[in-house]
Each structure stands twice: as C-alpha cells, then as structure tokens.
Amino acid sequence: MKPRVSVITIGVDNLEESLHFYRDGLGFPTDGIVGAEFDHGSVAFFELQPGLKLAIWNRKDIAHETKVSVSSPSPTEFTLGHNVNSKSEVDEVMDKAKRAGANITDPAHETFWGGYSGHFQDPDGHLWEVVWNPAWDFVE
C-alpha cells in the first residue's frame, strides 16, 4: 500500500467552538461548516498544506459513521506536529495558540535532541506539538 494520507479528522464535542479556535484563533483557512443538511454530516475542513486537510467532526457523528461507541478521549493517543522554520516561529505559534484559548501543557523550550518545541491542547484536549527541528527545512 502506498501511503496517501490526505485528511486528518479529529473528533470534537462542540463543532462551532472548535471552528472558532482553528479558524479565528489559529488562522487556519476554511469554508466553515459544511454538510449540515445531512444527518451526522456537519464537518469543517481546513487547508493545512497542498494535499493535506484537517477535518473537525462531532465525536458522536464519527461514532455513528464508524459503528464504534463513543468512549472517553485520551489526549495522549496522538499528537499533531506543526513544524516551523525557527525557534522564534515556535514562540509565535505558541503565543497565538494561547491567545486563541489553548491550554499550554509544555511551554516552548530547548529539547534534549537539539531542537525547540512546546505543546498545547485545543478545546477538545487534542495535543499539538509546535517544533523547530534543525535537521528539517520547511519552505513556505
């Protein structure tokens, strides 16, 4: 199988609140909530980079679609990594997340492996890592 991940969907409890956090707080581009005319269809998509979108969808609707029971979420099941080009950019993104209402769990700091990173949680507890890795170059 050739990996072709094009959408990362995260479950949320309040679609409007999460839309506000990602669109208005972090500045992620979106057309807003679509699919409201369908039962269990309300979702919002955000352009992350060419070929990759982030989707937010109500947990109860994901459960309905997948035939899996809703259970207690654990923030340590996965993290979303936001890689940037400098330490100062890590600080900028962390500050923006805090102003948007994120819970800063790990303020930006030098890492043991030579990088610089910090962690925050969105309104639903999903963990994000904002990181500068000196071995990786991201051009915008």
Side-chain angles (χ1 to χ4, degrees):
M1 177 177 97
K2 183 176 180 179
R4 293 193 179 123
V5 176
S6 58
V7 178
I8 298 169
T9 303
I10 57 176
V12 300
D13 290 325
N14 184 315
L15 197 56
E16 290 287 342
E17 179 183 7
S18 292
L19 174 67
H20 175 71
F21 177 80
Y22 285 105
R23 180 191 61 204
D24 305 327
L26 296 183
F28 288 7
T30 181
D31 290 332
I33 295 172
V34 298
E37 68 272 23
F38 304 107
D39 288 340
H40 307 286
S42 295
V43 63
F45 296 98
F46 303 88
E47 294 291 332
L48 297 181
Q49 62 198 44
L52 183 61
K53 295 180 188 307
L54 173 70
I56 55 172
W57 198 14
N58 280 310
R59 283 189 171 104
K60 64 180 174 43
D61 296 331
I62 292 173
H64 175 82
E65 173 81 10
T66 62
K67 315 294 187 276
V68 174
S69 298
V70 175
S71 61
S72 298
S74 170
T76 58
E77 291 174 2
F78 69 93
T79 65
L80 295 163
H82 180 66
N83 289 273
V84 297
N85 285 316
S86 67
K87 293 178 185 181
S88 64
E89 196 173 350
V90 170
D91 292 334
E92 290 170 21
V93 173
M94 292 292 291
D95 184 56
K96 189 173 201 173
K98 183 176 182 175
R99 287 192 320 269
N103 174 33
I104 306 300
T105 64
D106 179 34
H109 62 281
E110 302 284 339
T111 65
F112 70 90
W113 48 267
Y116 188 76
S117 76
H119 293 84
F120 69 84
Q121 288 179 292
D122 74 4
D124 289 279
H126 299 111
L127 280 167
W128 284 78
E129 178 184 25
V130 183
V131 60
W132 169 72
N133 183 333
W136 294 356
D137 187 28
F138 292 93
V139 179
E140 299 197 22

